[in-house]
Amino acid sequence: MGFANIILHLWAWIFMLWSVANISIAVSPVEIPDSSCSGPQGTEFITVFMQNHLPSYGNKDFKLFITGYIPGTFVTISVNKADFFTTVTANPEQTVSVMIPAFVELAGSNIFNHTVIIRADHEISILALNYKAYTADTTVVYPEDKLGREYYVVTPVGNPDGLDKQFAVVAWKDPTTVEIYLKGAVTFQRKAYTAGTKLDISLGAYQAVQLQSCDDLSGTRIVSQNPVAVYSGHVCVAKHTKCDYVSEQLLPVSVWGTTFIVPPLSFQPNFDLVYVAASQHTRIDYQSGSARATRNLVAGQVVTFEIKVSNPLYISASAGIQVAFFCTGGSKGKIVYDPFFLMIPDVSGYCQTYNIHGQDLFENYAMIVAKTAETADVTIDAEPLRFTVWMPIPGTAYSWTTYNLGSGFSNHTIENPSSPFGVLSVGIKEKAGYGSTAIGGISGAAPTVQPPDLPSTSCSCPQGTEFITVFMQNLLPSYGNKDFKLFITGYIPGTFVTISVNKADFFTTVTANPEQTVSVMIPAFVELAGSNIFNHTVIIRADHEISILALNYKAYTADTTVVYPEDKLGREYYVVTPLGNPDGLDKQFAVVAWKDPTTVEIYLKGAVTFQRKAYTAGTKLDISLGAYQAVQLQSRDDLSGTRIVSQNPVAVYSGHVCVAKHTKCDYVSEQLLPVSDWGTTFIVPPLSFQPKFDLVYVAASQHTRIDYQSGRARATRNLVAGQVVTFEIKFPNPLYISANAGIQVVFFCAGGSKGKIAYDPFLLMIPDVSSYCQTYNIHGQDQYDNYAIITAETSESGGITIDKEPLGVIAWRPIPGTVFSWAEYNLGKGFKRQTMEHPTSPFGLLSIGIASKPGYGSAAIGASSE
């Protein structure tokens, strides 16, 4: 009898396999519908930050990334029933990051008031990041007009770990009742609800409910009286690796689609999972590789498919379905990345233009699905995709590829001029991962801004006879041997120069001559340390004009700055402190009084502690400085935009004790120019050897309109007083900026690699085009590969010489929107001073150097041709 049962079971299995094989052969995928792009843009949004791991775990980094499409879009961000309100201006070709306070995190199963409300006067799009160390995910935030009344939950399932699946329902401005048909047990307001029961909840305007369970909640149906937002995920789910927080905002049943393509992760060594949810009796035809089959689903059913690197998944349904991708974690090289979760867009919702955001600390990728015949027309930031391998998707006219966006925060536009396509945004790092759909829907074409005529030049030189400077803190005060130097250049034979340290026993003299630069060692005790007032400033006096370059060097951490004379000091400044990876080290700036005592008002953009008193961002700090005294202020916060107003002229230095972005950290510092000397027209050439991107900071002191162009992309932004905005700059595209009022432009090299050299960050001020000179002194530093970055009128570029000799073979590249070109000239290794000049035409010159670990940068020192 047992043997007969075995034979019967074998025949049953054979019959089933034969049936499935015949069904697979018979299935022919339906024709893919035409695309009608539906982006997530809107003017009113509400969102929440669901529980990430344990509420007490780690530092919370909650952010919104906001993209505008109309110049000067005004956006307000507030937290319901809490004292948090902020505003930003969003513009095309730019994404604004807004930090959301940690207290908004939902914790446990309960009703919450602290929802985040965003309103704008023109359409914007929003990406939300919920980040704690080693556990993070992103989601697109949908506007209120895309909210609905019926949803089905999907909560990915991993290894049993005692952590909860969860979802949240968020009311918009109308109170609403919510019916929840549970697929798993929950405990809410001290009452247990079993799977299969209905839970009724009343939400007030802008309230949210979060429900958690150890059970799988997938298939739970949510029906509300008024439109709501629904978020679904897991506090920390593990499958192939460690656990990670995952979350996505869901779309309501009313906008579900019928045709989906799911590309695999090219670096997944195991498999990922695809969840498909139905809201009614639905037939799905699907194909993975050459295998094709059909399934019939019922309302509330959620089925799972494995997806592996070689086989994309194509699904066609007889009614709307919801498709979610669950990355189960894996490894890529030395990176062991954890899970993430994202919703797959319907093919009929594909767009021709997308914004995609790479996140800081992650390796970022775009997963692209495009018609095979149109793949060559897909561009990123108006440039063709490079080194891209497209793979066909069986059963469709589409192909897919994975495109590496590099590491660190970035904002890109991916587009095809004529054919809609799909883009997913994913990122991996050690112990974490994120994923979301890229934001499509509005053309990335910038307004056609015609830049004004470039101004005539009038060389602004840093020569003078009296100077004061300081050496700000470089890494830790106790770190390494200090090598502080001044490089002094004279212009009259026999110029007598004295160098002294205020209220200290240091005094020396040198003689400076033309065609020669004198190096002066400054004692180590002058280094400023911490937030305090200091007496040991360095005073330089000469009987004829000189120029000075300062070097602050410790092993593997150094930068240079031009030192400006006392007649170029001012009374109003705006600070710029570059941002890198969180590393526990401080941004900083220093204010230095000249020979008259002065009061200094500091309008802080970040929190500082000074003389044992804490000052929060937004407060005013008043400081009195005696003659030749300095104050240094440090903060973990970004201090960019801090305004400094003094009674008498002061010098201001700004930077970071050791900032890291793409590589290890490096000290960076620059002496700032006062607002009265700011310019309106700037050209920023890129570094040809930067494999990723650098950053450009632009600061405004009043309401200012800037027109800018990078490559072929042109746009306009409106800035307010104290606003500092950031632009990425990549080879081969220089950045051209024209403003209707004075602005300050700062270049932050974020570190990179050139051959075997991995160089660290440096900071330099970009000179205004109107200040270009015909003659420069440029100093190469010892132990560095030294370079001159030149900007010159295209028609005059051939006339530039170095030490009276032609530049030789050099590649000049045009700067779109201007009559200028730029080039990079290798000055060689080791310390040297060289003179670069043009007999008739002013040009711009930057001095930079890279070595294994450190880097430096400053504007070259111009000399009047009179």
Side-chain angles (χ1 to χ4, degrees):
M1 198 56 186
F3 181 77
N5 276 330
I6 290 170
I7 294 296
L8 207 59
H9 276 86
L10 283 171
W11 273 109
W13 272 104
I14 291 167
F15 179 80
M16 186 189 73
L17 290 170
W18 176 84
S19 301
V20 169
N22 275 278
I23 289 172
S24 299
I25 293 168
V27 169
S28 179
V30 297
E31 187 177 342
I32 291 178
D34 292 334
S35 299
S36 177
C37 174
S38 177
Q41 287 78 15
T43 58
E44 295 187 299
F45 302 76
I46 191 166
T47 191
V48 291
F49 289 80
M50 288 202 297
Q51 182 177 321
N52 183 340
H53 204 279
L54 302 177
S56 59
Y57 170 75
N59 293 325
K60 304 171 185 180
D61 186 6
F62 302 154
K63 285 193 179 85
L64 299 178
F65 298 97
I66 300 174
T67 302
Y69 301 88
I70 300 293
T73 297
F74 183 73
V75 187
T76 65
I77 305 98
S78 62
V79 175
N80 183 49
K81 296 192 176 179
D83 186 22
F84 178 84
F85 180 88
T86 190
T87 64
V88 296
T89 302
N91 292 285
E93 306 296 327
Q94 175 240 357
T95 294
V96 183
S97 169
V98 179
M99 184 74 75
I100 302 300
F103 64 74
V104 305
E105 183 180 22
L106 312 186
S109 293
N110 213 332
I111 292 176
F112 304 88
N113 287 311
H114 292 158
T115 56
V116 182
I117 303 162
I118 307 100
R119 290 187 168 95
D121 60 355
H122 298 291
E123 284 199 337
I124 58 173
S125 58
I126 302 176
L127 184 78
L129 170 68
N130 185 325
Y131 180 93
K132 295 180 181 179
Y134 307 127
T135 174
D137 204 0
T138 58
T139 182
V140 171
V141 180
Y142 292 97
E144 57 83 23
D145 60 2
K146 284 190 167 56
L147 306 184
R149 295 179 172 86
E150 183 183 12
Y151 295 83
Y152 282 87
V153 167
V154 175
T155 53
V157 177
N159 303 328
D161 55 10
L163 294 173
D164 288 339
K165 297 82 178 172
Q166 62 184 358
F167 65 88
V169 183
V170 191
W172 181 230
K173 57 188 175 184
D174 295 316
T176 190
T177 58
V178 182
E179 299 173 350
I180 300 174
Y181 299 85
L182 292 164
K183 282 293 182 81
V186 301
T187 299
F188 176 68
Q189 294 180 338
R190 300 182 181 178
K191 183 177 177 181
Y193 296 84
T194 61
T197 59
K198 185 181 79 163
L199 171 56
D200 293 306
I201 296 176
S202 294
L203 294 177
Y206 309 118
Q207 278 191 325
V209 61
Q210 177 176 264
L211 294 176
Q212 297 179 327
S213 177
C214 287
D215 294 350
D216 183 10
L217 296 170
S218 294
T220 294
R221 182 179 178 229
I222 297 167
V223 180
S224 62
Q225 176 191 15
N226 292 312
V228 292
V230 175
Y231 292 81
S232 186
H234 197 297
V235 299
C236 207
V237 61
K239 184 69 176 173
H240 293 136
T241 55
K242 301 292 185 182
C243 80
D244 205 349
Y245 166 83
V246 301
S247 173
E248 278 285 280
Q249 182 171 354
L250 305 181
L251 285 170
V253 171
S254 58
V255 296
W256 285 4
T258 60
T259 311
F260 295 81
I261 293 171
V262 189
L265 295 180
S266 61
F267 44 78
Q268 171 58 269
N270 300 309
F271 63 85
D272 295 312
L273 297 172
V274 177
Y275 293 86
V276 178
S279 67
Q280 56 184 291
H281 279 76
T282 307
R283 169 193 165 111
I284 62 170
D285 300 318
Y286 58 95
Q287 181 163 350
S288 177
S290 59
R292 297 190 290 177
T294 295
R295 280 188 81 165
N296 292 299
L297 310 184
V298 297
Q301 187 175 354
V302 179
V303 294
T304 310
F305 297 88
E306 287 188 5
I307 184 168
K308 297 182 179 180
V309 63
S310 57
N311 295 325
L313 179 64
Y314 163 61
I315 306 170
S316 176
S318 61
I321 55 174
Q322 177 174 247
V323 180
F325 178 91
F326 172 47
C327 169
T328 54
S331 60
K332 180 180 182 288
K334 294 181 179 180
I335 297 175
V336 179
Y337 60 90
D338 292 339
F340 56 83
F341 191 46
L342 60 87
M343 305 306 295
I344 299 296
D346 175 24
V347 170
S348 68
Y350 283 2
C351 299
Q352 291 176 229
T353 300
Y354 291 89
N355 292 317
I356 187 168
H357 305 85
Q359 297 299 328
D360 205 14
L361 309 177
F362 287 83
E363 285 189 9
N364 303 287
Y365 298 89
M367 299 172 64
I368 309 172
V369 177
K371 288 184 179 178
T372 304
E374 305 287 345
T375 55
D377 294 330
V378 178
T379 62
I380 183 164
D381 298 333
E383 296 291 334
L385 299 182
R386 296 178 180 175
F387 312 114
T388 303
V389 178
W390 290 93
M391 287 155 282
I393 299 166
T396 77
Y398 284 75
S399 293
W400 70 278
T401 191
T402 300
Y403 190 80
N404 191 332
L405 299 171
S407 298
F409 179 76
S410 59
N411 181 27
H412 303 277
T413 299
I414 300 180
E415 53 193 342
N416 187 309
S418 57
S419 178
F421 61 104
V423 181
L424 305 176
S425 171
V426 304
I428 60 172
K429 60 171 284 193
E430 185 66 24
K431 298 184 181 178
Y434 75 81
S436 65
T437 55
I439 293 172
I442 293 181
S443 172
T448 54
V449 175
Q450 183 61 39
D453 291 336
L454 293 174
S456 59
T457 52
S458 175
C459 175
S460 178
C461 313
Q463 285 78 16
T465 58
E466 294 187 299
F467 303 76
I468 190 166
T469 191
V470 291
F471 289 80
M472 287 202 298
Q473 182 177 319
N474 183 339
L475 195 46
L476 302 177
S478 59
Y479 170 74
N481 293 324
K482 304 171 185 181
D483 185 6
F484 302 154
K485 285 193 179 86
L486 299 178
F487 299 98
I488 300 173
T489 301
Y491 299 87
I492 300 293
T495 297
F496 182 73
V497 187
T498 65
I499 305 99
S500 62
V501 175
N502 183 49
K503 295 193 176 179
D505 187 21
F506 178 84
F507 180 88
T508 191
T509 64
V510 296
T511 301
N513 293 288
E515 309 301 326
Q516 174 225 4
T517 292
V518 183
S519 170
V520 179
M521 184 74 76
I522 303 299
F525 65 75
V526 304
E527 182 180 22
L528 312 186
S531 294
N532 214 332
I533 291 177
F534 303 89
N535 287 309
H536 292 158
T537 56
V538 182
I539 303 162
I540 307 98
R541 290 187 168 94
D543 61 356
H544 298 290
E545 283 197 340
I546 58 172
S547 59
I548 302 174
L549 184 77
L551 170 68
N552 185 326
Y553 180 92
K554 295 180 181 180
Y556 307 128
T557 174
D559 203 2
T560 58
T561 182
V562 172
V563 180
Y564 293 99
E566 57 84 22
D567 61 2
K568 283 192 165 52
L569 306 185
R571 295 179 172 86
E572 183 182 14
Y573 294 83
Y574 282 87
V575 167
V576 173
T577 53
L579 293 179
N581 304 329
D583 55 9
L585 295 173
D586 288 338
K587 298 84 180 170
Q588 61 184 0
F589 65 89
V591 183
V592 191
W594 182 230
K595 58 187 176 184
D596 295 316
T598 189
T599 58
V600 182
E601 298 174 349
I602 300 174
Y603 299 85
L604 292 165
K605 281 294 181 81
V608 302
T609 299
F610 175 69
Q611 295 180 337
R612 299 182 180 178
K613 183 177 178 181
Y615 295 85
T616 60
T619 58
K620 184 180 80 163
L621 171 56
D622 293 306
I623 297 176
S624 295
L625 294 177
Y628 309 120
Q629 278 192 324
V631 60
Q632 178 176 266
L633 294 175
Q634 297 179 327
S635 178
R636 300 287 169 90
D637 294 350
D638 184 11
L639 295 170
S640 295
T642 293
R643 181 177 178 232
I644 297 167
V645 180
S646 60
Q647 177 190 16
N648 292 311
V650 293
V652 175
Y653 292 81
S654 188
H656 197 296
V657 300
C658 206
V659 60
K661 185 69 176 173
H662 300 321
T663 55
K664 301 293 186 182
C665 82
D666 206 349
Y667 166 82
V668 301
S669 172
E670 279 286 279
Q671 182 170 354
L672 305 182
L673 284 171
V675 170
S676 57
D677 285 346
W678 287 4
T680 59
T681 310
F682 295 82
I683 292 171
V684 190
L687 299 181
S688 68
F689 47 78
Q690 170 58 269
K692 297 177 180 176
F693 62 87
D694 296 312
L695 297 172
V696 177
Y697 294 87
V698 177
S701 68
Q702 57 183 290
H703 279 78
T704 306
R705 170 194 166 108
I706 62 171
D707 300 320
Y708 58 94
Q709 181 163 350
S710 177
R712 292 184 298 167
R714 295 189 288 182
T716 295
R717 284 191 73 173
N718 292 297
L719 310 185
V720 298
Q723 188 174 355
V724 179
V725 295
T726 309
F727 298 88
E728 285 187 5
I729 184 167
K730 299 180 182 180
F731 180 80
N733 293 326
L735 178 65
Y736 164 63
I737 307 171
S738 176
N740 67 350
I743 55 175
Q744 177 174 246
V745 180
V746 184
F747 178 90
F748 172 50
C749 169
S753 60
K754 181 179 185 290
K756 294 181 179 180
I757 297 175
Y759 60 91
D760 294 337
F762 57 82
L763 191 69
L764 62 87
M765 303 298 296
I766 299 296
D768 176 26
V769 169
S770 68
S771 69
Y772 284 2
C773 299
Q774 291 175 227
T775 302
Y776 290 90
N777 294 316
I778 188 166
H779 302 83
Q781 297 297 328
D782 203 16
Q783 302 178 24
Y784 287 84
D785 284 358
N786 302 287
Y787 296 89
I789 311 296
I790 314 167
T791 303
E793 289 190 29
T794 303
S795 61
E796 303 290 341
S797 58
I800 297 175
T801 60
I802 185 164
D803 293 337
K804 307 296 184 182
E805 296 292 332
L807 295 179
V809 179
I810 186 170
W812 288 96
R813 298 176 177 90
I815 298 166
T818 78
V819 296
F820 284 75
S821 293
W822 71 278
E824 199 170 81
Y825 185 81
N826 191 332
L827 298 169
K829 289 190 175 183
F831 177 75
K832 65 180 79 171
R833 179 197 133 179
Q834 293 170 283
T835 300
M836 195 170 284
E837 55 193 339
H838 192 287
T840 57
S841 178
F843 61 102
L845 190 62
L846 305 176
S847 170
I848 66 171
I850 59 173
S852 184
K853 297 187 180 177
Y856 76 82
S858 64
I861 293 174
S864 173
S865 56
E866 293 178 0

